[in-house]
Amino acid sequence: MTLAGQAAAQARSPGAVAFYDTFNDQLARLPQTIQGDVRALYEMNGWRPLWTPERLRALNQAAARAERHGLAPADFFDFVGLAADPATSEMRTTAAALTYARVLSEGRVRPETVEDLWEMQKNRVDLPAGLNDALARDRLVEWYEDLAPQDIGYANLSAGYVRYRRLIRDGGWPAFRPGPTIEPGASDTRIPALIKRLTAEGDLSAADGARLEAQGLVYGSELQTAVRSFQTRHGLAADGRIGTGTQRSLSASTEDRARQIALNLERRRWLKREVPSERIEVNTAAAIMVYWKDGRPVRSNRVVVGTPSNQTPSLEKQFASVVANPPWYVPAGIARAEILPRGPGYLASQNMYVSNGQVIQRAGPTAALGYVKFELRDSYAIFLHDTPSKAAFNNAYRHRSHGCVRVQDAIEFARLLLSPDPALLGDFDTALDAKTTTRIQTGREIGVRLLYWTAFVDGQGRVAFREDVYSRDEKLARALGIAVSLPRPVDDGRTDANDVGP
């Protein structure tokens, strides 16, 4: 400590002097990752103890709200243990307070340690300065709440987590036993368990559930409607048939769903809080794209994203330009594995040629990029584009690309993005008509975020779930020490042997 700090300590109470004298020894016993923040906080506060009884009560109140964030207070605070050891409680309380603050503001794990490619803007907060100010202004509880994301997506998912924890305390829902497909109109002994499950999550009202249970084991039309609601909420084909995919989703326990929500709250805490009011967000787990304008979602498109072996990464880039009638410069890996072995005849049939060792597909109606490509700046050859393979958009399982994002109704989406400038829109339409390859700058910055949400709140205010297609929930759960068993995805569509697009 500084000479000024030593002089200040001499004017303090005996307790403060004792704390000052043992400061370095106590600091050395804390985890190294937190020592810098602890030292900075006490330096701001003149090397005095921080935790009065009133401040400890406020810290208890803040910790009691941890469940809203999918966290357990006991993972951060042992207030009984702290009180039992007065000699070290001051410093250990500070370390716990800063650790909890770091988790709320930035997450428990570093995203790059659990994802192969994660390149997004992280949230960063000066926690010592923030905590010092919160203590000085008696705003400790409010400060902690402000550290977590404030957007509606996080708030709604947080409320969903609290609801699922309440379901667990009330006994959850009964296990659904996998078995043969339950067809509409059939009778099945699993119908009572099905009704209880649909009632618990709100796909069926409690009154309707009780009435249907009294009607026996028949899978009737009213129950089918509730199942279609469940299927839509889980990204399944909403056909009312209770087949393999639906049964797998029904077999997830209340605990597993609550833990899945907690994993997604953690992912949201990684991200920088400020986002552009105009942006494109792709949920790669759900294979859905949402366009935001003036801070509101104004359009949603289905998309096709990467397979589990060719995952679409988590990226945040600027949208740079639209290319009408784009050729496809085939990546070397795709060319070697899927195109060149088929021989010259296949290349000719696909309007492809080789130039300086590079396989190139000419623009045209059957070209892999379709009629429009949305370029991102410095994006590891990841971009959004049109596709001639329209049928895949009708599938519930849309993880079929080599990592790029194929956009449903891509031409109309390009027109929407260019519509603020009639001249740019005119250039795009002219290029389409002329079938010429033309790059058109957007004239403004539009952010693009490729995200991975397996639990989120849908437009009807319901918690929606998706299968962990990329096994990222599984990997994150291991890093957090959370035991979770989630349904495996079911591919519900045919594979097109000629679909070799990015």
Side-chain angles (χ1 to χ4, degrees):
M1 293 185 187
T2 63
L3 291 174
Q6 295 172 5
Q10 295 173 1
R12 298 189 190 122
S13 66
V17 172
F19 169 71
Y20 180 88
D21 289 341
T22 62
F23 184 92
N24 285 331
D25 288 340
Q26 291 193 51
L27 185 70
R29 288 195 287 270
L30 297 178
Q32 193 167 12
T33 54
I34 198 72
Q35 290 180 18
D37 282 348
V38 172
R39 181 180 289 278
L41 175 60
Y42 281 105
E43 185 173 9
M44 292 175 193
N45 199 55
W47 309 106
R48 293 186 298 270
L50 298 167
W51 299 104
T52 63
E54 294 78 13
R55 288 174 172 179
L56 283 172
R57 281 193 289 272
L59 187 60
N60 265 278
Q61 292 176 30
R65 301 187 180 193
E67 185 181 65
R68 302 182 187 185
H69 307 287
L71 303 169
D75 289 349
F76 304 95
F77 299 101
D78 175 13
F79 289 106
V80 174
L82 290 170
D85 187 3
T88 64
S89 63
E90 166 71 27
M91 188 83 79
R92 289 168 56 213
T93 299
T94 300
L98 285 167
T99 298
Y100 182 52
R102 182 73 67 193
V103 170
L104 286 182
S105 60
E106 300 176 12
R108 296 186 78 165
V109 303
R110 291 186 295 115
E112 59 270 19
T113 65
V114 291
E115 298 207 18
D116 292 335
L117 178 57
W118 192 96
E119 190 171 301
M120 308 193 76
Q121 295 187 55
K122 296 180 184 178
N123 198 49
R124 284 290 179 262
V125 177
D126 185 343
L127 294 176
L131 180 53
N132 188 59
D133 180 69
L135 290 170
R137 297 169 56 201
D138 294 325
R139 290 193 73 256
L140 193 62
V141 175
E142 295 84 356
W143 179 69
Y144 273 108
E145 287 303 294
D146 289 344
L147 288 174
Q150 302 298 304
D151 62 279
I152 191 67
Y154 186 91
N156 286 345
L157 196 58
S158 170
Y161 180 79
V162 171
R163 178 168 169 259
Y164 276 76
R165 292 298 305 174
R166 191 181 305 121
L167 282 172
I168 292 171
R169 288 191 287 270
D170 292 342
W173 52 65
F176 185 87
R177 177 174 47 83
T181 296
I182 304 177
E183 299 286 355
S187 293
D188 196 284
T189 56
R190 294 169 290 175
I191 293 299
L194 173 66
I195 293 172
K196 286 184 171 63
R197 171 62 184 277
L198 297 174
T199 301
E201 290 195 279
D203 297 294
L204 196 62
S205 71
D208 288 340
R211 179 170 48 78
L212 290 174
E213 274 198 81
Q215 294 177 7
L217 306 179
V218 177
Y219 181 37
S221 60
E222 196 171 352
L223 191 51
Q224 293 164 35
T225 298
V227 167
R228 283 192 287 271
S229 169
F230 176 91
Q231 289 171 327
T232 299
R233 194 164 52 83
H234 289 76
L236 303 164
D239 56 9
R241 299 177 69 251
I242 307 177
T244 303
T246 301
Q247 290 190 33
R248 286 186 183 178
S249 290
L250 286 168
S251 68
S253 70
T254 326
E255 290 85 355
D256 285 331
R257 288 310 191 194
R259 290 165 184 162
Q260 189 174 14
I261 295 173
L263 295 175
N264 283 269
L265 289 171
E266 166 73 4
R267 280 196 188 94
R268 288 176 179 268
R269 288 192 289 267
W270 296 340
L271 301 175
K272 184 178 179 181
R273 305 298 187 248
E274 300 79 23
V275 295
S277 60
E278 182 182 20
R279 63 189 185 275
I280 299 166
E281 292 190 346
V282 177
N283 180 352
T284 57
I288 294 173
M289 181 185 78
V290 177
Y291 172 54
W292 293 72
K293 185 75 179 291
D294 299 324
R296 298 183 303 109
V298 297
R299 182 186 176 102
S300 177
N301 293 59
R302 287 187 167 202
V303 296
V304 171
V305 294
T307 65
S309 58
N310 296 285
Q311 297 181 16
T312 300
S314 296
L315 291 177
E316 187 169 11
K317 299 294 179 182
Q318 293 298 317
F319 174 48
S321 57
V322 169
V323 179
N325 303 301
W328 179 31
Y329 292 84
V330 182
I334 298 177
R336 285 195 304 269
E338 302 180 36
I339 294 175
L340 292 173
R342 301 191 187 191
Y346 175 78
L347 268 71
S349 71
Q350 299 299 307
N351 207 14
M352 295 177 174
Y353 63 99
V354 179
S355 176
N356 297 322
Q358 166 89 62
V359 176
I360 302 170
Q361 185 180 45
R362 298 180 180 89
T366 62
L369 303 189
Y371 288 107
V372 59
K373 171 185 174 183
F374 305 87
E375 290 188 321
L376 310 182
R377 293 198 183 99
D378 184 28
S379 62
Y380 304 95
I382 299 295
F383 47 84
L384 285 63
H385 64 94
D386 186 20
T387 176
S389 303
K390 311 292 188 189
F393 293 120
N394 297 323
N395 297 331
Y397 184 89
R398 298 189 295 279
H399 294 79
R400 302 182 176 281
S401 80
H402 283 90
C404 287
V405 179
R406 306 176 188 180
V407 180
Q408 189 176 33
D409 299 325
I411 292 176
E412 290 309 310
F413 183 59
R415 287 189 171 123
L416 175 63
L417 295 181
L418 296 173
S419 61
D421 189 327
L424 296 178
L425 180 58
D427 291 343
F428 177 69
D429 287 337
T430 297
L432 285 181
D433 292 340
K435 296 182 172 51
T436 57
T437 298
T438 305
R439 177 173 285 100
I440 300 158
Q441 301 297 326
T442 58
R444 65 192 189 282
E445 294 291 329
I446 304 174
V448 178
R449 304 205 303 169
L450 308 182
L451 306 157
Y452 189 75
W453 305 143
T454 60
F456 55 94
V457 175
D458 66 15
Q460 286 73 52
R462 310 172 302 176
V463 180
F465 296 97
R466 294 296 184 270
E467 291 92 346
D468 184 22
V469 177
Y470 293 162
S471 298
R472 294 180 188 172
D473 278 356
E474 185 180 330
K475 194 171 183 180
L476 178 56
R478 283 199 303 270
L480 293 171
I482 296 174
V484 65
S485 177
L486 298 173
R488 304 307 303 166
V490 176
D491 190 338
D492 66 341
R494 299 180 200 166
T495 301
D496 182 355
N498 290 322
D499 183 2
V500 295

